[in-house]
Amino acid sequence: MKSLRLYAGLILSGVMMVAFSQSAAATTVTVDGNPIEWSAIPERYEATTTHPSNVFQLKVTNDTTQLYVLVTGSGLNTKSQLFIDADDDPQTGYHASGFNQATGESTGAEFLVENDTLLRYTGPATGTSRNTWSWTPVITASMVKTDSAIEWSLPLTSLSISESQDVGVAYICNDSMYDRLPSSDDYFAVEYVDLTPPSKPKQLTASPASLTSVQLTWQPSMDESTVAGYDIFRDGVKIGESTAASYTDANALQGSHAYSVKAFDPAGNRSAASTQAMIQLAGVPASTGNWNDLHTYLVNYTDEAQINHALFAKYDAVVLEPKRVSSQLLADLKTINPQLFTIGYLSIGETLPLLTDANGNRLDIYFLDANGNPMQNPDWHGYYIDARKPVFQDLVLNHWLPDLFAQGFDGVFLDTVDTSAYVSKDNTVDFRPSAQGMAALIQQMKVKFPDKKIVMNRGYHLLGGNNDVSGSIDGVMLESYTSTWANSTLKNPDGSSVEDYHIFPSDSEERIWTNGITTKINKLRFQYNLDGTVKRDAAGKPLKASHFFHAMPLDYAKDTTPEQKAIMQTAVQHAWDNYFVPSIGVKNLDLPPAYDWLNEVSLPAPESFGAQLDIPAMPVPSPDVIDSFSTVDNWQTIRGQTDALPAPGADSVVLSGENGAAKAELTIQGTTEWKNGATLQSREWVQPIDLTHGFVSLQAKSSSLLPADKAFEVIFMDENNDAKAFSLTPYLKTDWTTISLDLVQGGSYIPGWDGAQDGFQADRVKYMQIRIMNTVTNSPAYSGTLWIDNILADQSLPQPAPLIDDFSAGSEQWACSKVTAEDSCSLNIDGGALKWDLDVKGTTGWSNGAMLQSRDWFTPVDFSSKTLHFDARASSVFAGTNKSVQVLLVDRNGSTRGWDITNSLSTQMGEINVSPSVGGTDALSLGQSAFDLDQVSSIRFLVINSLSSASEFTGSVWIDNISAP
């Protein structure tokens, strides 16, 4: 190596010699003032000085066109000078006197870079006048200067530098004697840097060392100094280094591979790549099993060293973490059980850590917040992926999945699919629009890898509807299907659930939810009759749908104590009954299995697989009766809180029949708002029903009026899990009340969890709920009884033709109600007319009374050109009784227009006519300025006490032949 000794001078702070070779491996630098990319480039000069200095480091490198210089330190954002000896001759160019020169040597700089200007020396080239300050500008250099770093990029052609030439470089900061490199009081030797690469490796050979490893050997390279090592490449990607002329690739995947090797020396120069060596690895054999015969599986993500081969291989399928197992392990398991299906874990809804490209730039695959930062799961801290992103779809389809399958897996387990259905509790974050991208990605997986098994974790929002993937998957995992490891209410200080391994109670929200999911999944997997029974072949086996896939619950049991073994057996039986493939595990699946669950249970007989596939279906309304409650078998109860803790404990509800009505005795705690409650949920209609042709009506009463912190609601769910909710608390009274619900125009829309967000479809209703819920946290408990009867569909008062009702079909279109608790009324048919029996007290004026109310017209009626006509009589005259008899029209907003007909009633049936557009007294609803005569929704008759301390009226009113000509 060549060396040069320089003497410290006043202006030229030192020279650093580097040799340039265009045949060397090029190092291209981005001039941006950030020195991080220089970390792999050797430092050309290390400053040593007895004086304090703010200049720390000087580095130089080059590629085939540019010379790059880096200076680091502090206080650098000022005048800077860079001197360059470009001809490797210290006797020519600018000379700074005073250097402690080696014998016969001097210092010469052909170029100066002052700030960002490159200048050529134009003074005397030789002799004693070489320190004349004479420079001519050449170009403006590329430079970025900060307080802590300066970077320059200088064209080699502008410096007249040729290949393999030594170059000297020195830096001075703001004319300082000490802030410079080399330092002003130091002897130093600068060796030119070796940029001549080693010779390329020859005679590379690749041979299989095992099913999943490759042995590489080659002829050693030569270098003018020494060969420091070799870079190893598989399929163009560096996979390791070796100091010897051999290497074993222990992580090779099945398939064809091309290997190459590059040599490098201590200076970091890389040789040209060797000639490629090709090899074909047979890899792990595919499963010989029949996926349709799957009956058991195991989920465990432990490290390969912890895996009991015999235990894992006894199952029909295993789900493993690819990063923790090798292809050799997969091959070993297949040796024990050739029919085993190996499924590799892959998260496609979240990543941890944040993924970047080779330059450290974040991949464009994430959901971003308002500040442009990737959003994180607050519980698991993974970064949420937007599956619509093209970069992500390419990553999965062309990189992750090919690598996973090349490792030897028979299929993939897709976790975190539910990211595409996530909505934050405050509704400020909604990822549901990405469901379309998630579905498209899964569909593309099956198209590209048709022979591989695709198992999806949950993702129920992608089963059926607009984003259906049921034809592209081979299985769906249902985690915590029958049992769970988590308490549903109690939390640890960090917000995580308290461990509590238990079976979900049959009337818990969780169990009812999974019952609904079971129905949803099985309707996609099997063929059903309209009554909910599964279709079977001559041998009694259920007929599968064209897009059959396995349902694969993962349930939890803590250990093998008798109590926990009972949980296992219950979970297996529940799965088996529904043609589900069971699996049992503990909370932490990263640890080795705590037990072999197949040894702890008795599998039911194979012929009983799917014994309970029939769906307990809600009868189709016939003709309009949804349920008259001759039995309560069509309904199930749901408790909002089933845990005994926290105090005061669980909710309760007991459903029974009483006098032809449903009776629900309930206690609702006030612990948590919209958690505590009691719900009656109907069975599902196998084929969704159409409820758009009239009102849905029901009769309801309670043992006591609800307090302000409890709510009475009726909810309808459509086939896409969008809901229509009706808040009916004011209508729930201690006497029977008929409530009419308009599913088309009324109610509040609740978007479903399936991501469709396509609005409530009243013509595709699959079930309904009736519930009382706690609405205020830490409120008093409520105990009482709720009665429900006569839920009817398609209810509407007949449109005037002009006849409205002659009561030949009975009194079904009408209901009476008392105004106060001491009044009473009832209805029956007498001689073809409606008989309204009354007992109206005289206690309080304009308070005591009774009301006769028709059903609503589903389509409001225009009365602006009609006359209301009816026949009526009373058991005794009302005149002089301080009782007012009125007939009223009710518009769509609840406003009324009424007429007093007290003096028109006699004890003989007589005709009464009312002109709605003339006279009448209006009572307008809040916010309404006028009665909507063209939007009348119902008719009402009222007997009201008009004077306090008046006499009681006990008698009857007959009404017949109501029409609107």
Side-chain angles (χ1 to χ4, degrees):
M1 292 297 205
K2 178 181 177 183
S3 63
L4 175 69
R5 298 184 71 83
L6 298 179
Y7 179 73
L10 296 177
I11 300 177
L12 190 61
S13 64
V15 178
M16 180 173 72
M17 305 302 299
V18 292
F20 291 87
S21 171
Q22 294 182 352
S23 64
T27 301
T28 300
V29 173
T30 301
V31 178
D32 55 8
N34 186 353
I36 189 169
E37 62 188 323
W38 288 79
S39 58
I41 300 172
E43 191 173 9
R44 303 314 188 194
Y45 181 73
E46 190 82 34
T48 58
T49 178
T50 59
H51 300 285
S53 176
N54 290 326
V55 183
F56 308 146
Q57 188 181 54
L58 175 63
K59 286 190 175 186
V60 180
T61 189
N62 76 292
D63 58 21
T64 57
T65 63
Q66 301 289 315
L67 170 73
Y68 301 100
V69 181
L70 169 71
V71 174
T72 63
S74 62
L76 303 182
N77 199 7
T78 184
K79 177 183 177 182
S80 58
Q81 291 176 318
L82 195 67
F83 294 90
I84 302 173
D85 179 359
D87 62 1
D88 191 22
D89 184 352
Q91 301 302 324
T92 61
Y94 179 80
H95 172 67
S97 60
F99 271 85
N100 191 3
Q101 307 169 68
T103 304
E105 291 186 345
S106 182
T107 304
E110 280 70 39
F111 293 93
L112 164 68
V113 184
E114 189 165 81
N115 297 323
D116 65 349
T117 302
L118 174 64
L119 305 107
R120 180 187 297 276
Y121 177 64
T122 56
T126 59
T128 58
S129 299
R130 286 174 47 220
N131 59 352
T132 302
W133 192 260
S134 179
W135 304 89
T136 299
V138 179
I139 60 168
T140 299
S142 176
M143 181 196 73
V144 173
K145 181 186 295 186
T146 69
D147 193 64
S148 59
I150 310 174
E151 283 185 298
W152 286 276
S153 174
L154 306 165
L156 296 180
T157 55
S158 298
L159 298 171
S160 303
I161 294 175
S162 59
E163 184 176 349
S164 301
Q165 184 174 322
D166 291 347
V167 178
V169 180
Y171 165 78
I172 183 171
C173 177
N174 202 28
D175 299 326
S176 171
M177 289 187 61
Y178 306 115
D179 295 336
R180 59 184 71 188
L181 283 178
S183 58
S184 60
D185 63 348
D186 184 34
Y187 284 104
F188 62 93
V190 179
E191 299 177 343
Y192 75 91
V193 175
D194 173 18
L195 293 183
T196 302
S199 63
K200 77 174 184 178
K202 297 180 179 180
Q203 299 181 9
L204 175 64
T205 62
S207 57
S210 70
L211 271 176
T212 56
S213 62
V214 175
Q215 181 65 44
L216 302 176
T217 60
W218 58 91
Q219 186 181 84
S221 296
M222 302 298 293
D223 187 69
E224 66 176 14
S225 59
T226 185
V227 174
Y230 300 88
D231 294 326
I232 317 300
F233 297 85
R234 184 205 314 126
D235 302 325
V237 178
K238 183 178 176 179
I239 60 172
E241 295 183 0
S242 174
T243 58
S246 63
Y247 182 82
T248 299
D249 179 7
N251 297 307
L253 305 176
Q254 65 185 34
S256 178
H257 299 291
Y259 288 90
S260 60
V261 178
K262 292 182 180 180
F264 59 88
D265 61 20
N269 303 304
R270 258 67 179 177
S271 72
S274 68
T275 302
Q276 287 186 340
M278 305 297 297
I279 191 171
Q280 179 74 33
L281 286 181
V284 181
S287 172
T288 62
N290 184 345
W291 181 258
N292 288 331
D293 290 339
L294 206 67
H295 284 87
T296 65
Y297 80 110
L298 179 68
V299 182
N300 195 263
Y301 305 136
T302 192
D303 292 325
E304 178 172 330
Q306 303 294 320
I307 289 178
N308 182 323
H309 291 199
L311 187 157
F312 277 57
K314 70 189 297 184
Y315 292 88
D316 295 333
V318 290
V319 180
L320 305 171
E321 168 55 72
K323 297 177 182 177
R324 295 180 176 176
V325 298
S326 67
S327 297
Q328 187 63 54
L329 173 84
L330 304 184
D332 292 344
L333 295 177
K334 293 288 183 67
T335 300
I336 300 172
N337 179 7
Q339 296 185 336
L340 176 69
F341 287 93
T342 56
I343 310 297
Y345 174 94
L346 180 64
S347 173
I348 60 170
E350 298 177 19
T351 72
L352 189 66
L354 196 70
L355 299 185
T356 61
D357 61 20
N359 296 320
N361 299 313
R362 184 184 69 226
L363 293 182
D364 182 24
I365 64 175
Y366 296 106
F367 283 103
L368 305 179
D369 62 19
N371 296 320
N373 299 315
M375 303 177 69
Q376 281 186 281
N377 183 322
D379 297 321
W380 302 104
H381 309 299
Y383 294 92
Y384 290 122
I385 294 172
D386 185 346
R388 296 169 295 184
K389 298 283 190 176
V391 172
F392 180 67
Q393 298 209 0
D394 174 72
L395 193 64
V396 172
L397 294 171
N398 299 320
H399 300 277
W400 289 355
L401 286 182
D403 287 350
L404 186 143
F405 295 143
Q407 190 175 344
F409 284 98
D410 298 300
V412 61
F413 170 62
L414 304 176
D415 196 16
T416 60
V417 173
D418 282 346
T419 291
S420 58
Y422 175 73
V423 183
S424 63
K425 291 181 179 179
D426 59 4
N427 291 316
T428 58
V429 177
D430 188 349
F431 295 158
R432 289 177 298 186
S434 71
Q436 182 178 2
M438 183 67 77
L441 176 59
I442 294 172
Q443 290 160 356
Q444 291 177 69
M445 292 180 192
K446 180 54 74 172
V447 171
K448 186 164 186 177
F449 307 101
D451 61 330
K452 300 300 181 181
K453 305 306 175 187
I454 299 175
V455 180
M456 180 172 69
N457 189 11
R458 296 190 179 96
Y460 309 133
H461 62 295
L462 303 181
L463 297 176
N466 298 329
N467 299 314
D468 185 24
V469 300
S470 61
S472 299
I473 62 173
D474 301 280
V476 58
M477 180 189 285
L478 300 87
E479 192 172 357
S480 297
Y481 177 63
T482 304
S483 66
T484 181
W485 59 264
N487 188 285
S488 63
T489 306
L490 298 180
K491 301 292 184 182
N492 293 309
D494 63 358
S496 62
S497 296
V498 171
E499 281 196 24
D500 176 20
Y501 288 81
H502 66 280
I503 295 286
F504 291 126
S506 60
D507 61 350
S508 65
E509 289 181 334
E510 294 88 351
R511 183 60 178 264
I512 301 302
W513 163 265
T514 57
N515 288 347
I517 293 300
T518 299
T519 298
K520 176 185 179 75
I521 288 176
N522 281 345
K523 285 168 66 175
L524 290 170
R525 302 194 306 148
F526 297 99
Q527 302 177 41
Y528 279 90
N529 299 306
L530 290 179
D531 64 357
T533 57
V534 69
K535 295 181 179 180
R536 297 181 181 269
D537 62 17
K541 293 183 177 181
L543 294 178
K544 296 177 179 178
S546 58
H547 291 161
F548 177 82
F549 54 89
H550 277 301
M552 305 167 67
L554 172 60
D555 285 306
Y556 292 94
K558 185 175 184 179
D559 48 42
T560 57
T561 59
E563 176 189 9
Q564 295 296 310
K565 288 177 68 172
I567 289 176
M568 295 185 204
Q569 191 66 54
T570 300
V572 169
Q573 188 66 58
H574 185 211
W576 206 267
D577 287 343
N578 287 290
Y579 213 101
F580 285 16
V581 180
S583 185
I584 311 290
V586 296
K587 171 188 175 183
N588 193 344
L589 296 173
D590 290 332
L591 298 177
Y595 45 75
D596 179 359
W597 70 262
L598 268 180
N599 281 348
E600 307 301 330
V601 303
S602 298
L603 287 183
E607 57 269 20
S608 68
F609 198 48
Q612 302 296 325
L613 278 174
D614 292 345
I615 298 173
M618 192 73 174
V620 176
S622 178
D624 56 5
V625 177
I626 292 177
D627 205 332
S628 60
F629 294 99
S630 58
T631 174
V632 293
D633 291 347
N634 291 326
W635 297 79
Q636 56 193 338
T637 60
I638 307 174
R639 291 181 291 155
Q641 180 174 316
T642 58
D643 296 318
L645 293 173
D651 304 318
S652 68
V653 54
V654 178
L655 178 64
S656 62
E658 181 180 85
N659 299 323
K663 177 184 178 182
E665 298 172 272
L666 45 87
T667 295
I668 300 170
Q669 306 295 346
T671 309
T672 308
E673 61 186 34
W674 298 108
K675 168 67 176 177
N676 296 105
T679 300
L680 305 183
Q681 180 170 305
S682 74
R683 292 174 172 175
E684 288 192 19
W685 285 283
V686 174
Q687 295 294 328
I689 64 170
D690 185 350
L691 295 178
T692 62
H693 301 299
F695 297 99
V696 173
S697 68
L698 70 154
Q699 293 178 298
K701 70 172 183 175
S702 62
S703 57
S704 60
L705 297 178
L706 293 182
D709 50 45
K710 303 296 182 284
F712 175 57
E713 297 183 329
V714 176
I715 299 173
F716 297 85
M717 188 74 68
D718 73 11
E719 65 177 350
N720 287 332
N721 301 299
D722 291 307
K724 184 65 73 75
F726 295 84
S727 181
L728 304 173
T729 307
Y731 303 98
L732 185 61
K733 301 178 180 179
T734 55
D735 286 324
W736 285 109
T737 302
T738 299
I739 303 171
S740 295
L741 308 174
D742 181 353
L743 271 67
V744 177
Q745 300 293 334
S748 300
Y749 171 57
I750 303 175
W753 49 263
D754 66 348
Q757 301 185 65
D758 53 359
F760 178 75
Q761 299 178 53
D763 60 342
R764 305 292 295 173
V765 175
K766 68 177 182 180
Y767 68 82
M768 63 180 295
Q769 291 182 337
I770 302 168
R771 68 181 193 176
I772 296 178
M773 297 296 294
N774 177 56
T775 63
V776 178
T777 296
N778 295 326
S779 60
Y782 170 81
S783 294
T785 304
L786 172 69
W787 288 269
I788 302 292
D789 202 1
N790 295 323
I791 304 178
L792 306 175
D794 300 337
Q795 299 302 294
S796 177
L797 194 64
Q799 289 285 313
L803 183 67
I804 295 174
D805 201 342
D806 62 2
F807 302 100
S808 59
S811 61
E812 292 182 356
Q813 304 288 351
W814 298 80
C816 74
S817 60
K818 59 187 179 182
V819 177
T820 70
E822 58 182 341
D823 305 313
S824 66
C825 67
S826 62
L827 296 177
N828 58 73
I829 300 298
D830 179 24
L834 179 66
K835 183 184 179 186
W836 183 18
D837 294 320
L838 306 166
D839 184 356
V840 177
K841 307 298 183 181
T843 308
T844 307
W846 304 108
S847 179
N848 296 105
M851 184 169 62
L852 176 63
Q853 173 75 48
S854 75
R855 286 180 176 169
D856 285 0
W857 280 292
F858 191 65
T859 302
V861 175
D862 184 355
F863 266 82
S864 59
S865 60
K866 294 182 182 298
T867 299
L868 179 63
H869 166 92
F870 56 93
D871 299 331
R873 72 180 180 92
S875 58
S876 60
V877 295
F878 281 90
T881 64
N882 297 312
K883 303 293 183 287
S884 172
V885 184
Q886 302 173 12
V887 60
L888 304 96
L889 297 180
V890 185
D891 72 11
R892 62 179 177 176
N893 297 306
S895 297
T896 61
R897 175 169 290 180
W899 295 264
D900 192 309
I901 60 171
T902 306
N903 295 327
S904 300
L905 278 176
S906 69
T907 57
Q908 301 295 317
M909 188 69 80
E911 179 180 315
I912 298 176
N913 292 288
V914 173
S915 177
S917 60
V918 178
T921 301
D922 292 347
L924 301 180
S925 298
L926 183 65
Q928 193 173 356
S929 60
F931 182 79
D932 283 343
L933 191 57
D934 59 348
Q935 295 287 323
V936 174
S937 62
S938 65
I939 302 171
R940 183 180 299 169
F941 293 91
L942 179 66
V943 175
I944 189 81
N945 178 57
S946 60
L947 181 69
S948 296
S949 300
S951 61
E952 176 183 358
F953 176 84
T954 302
S956 302
V957 175
W958 287 261
I959 299 173
D960 201 2
N961 299 319
I962 303 175
S963 62

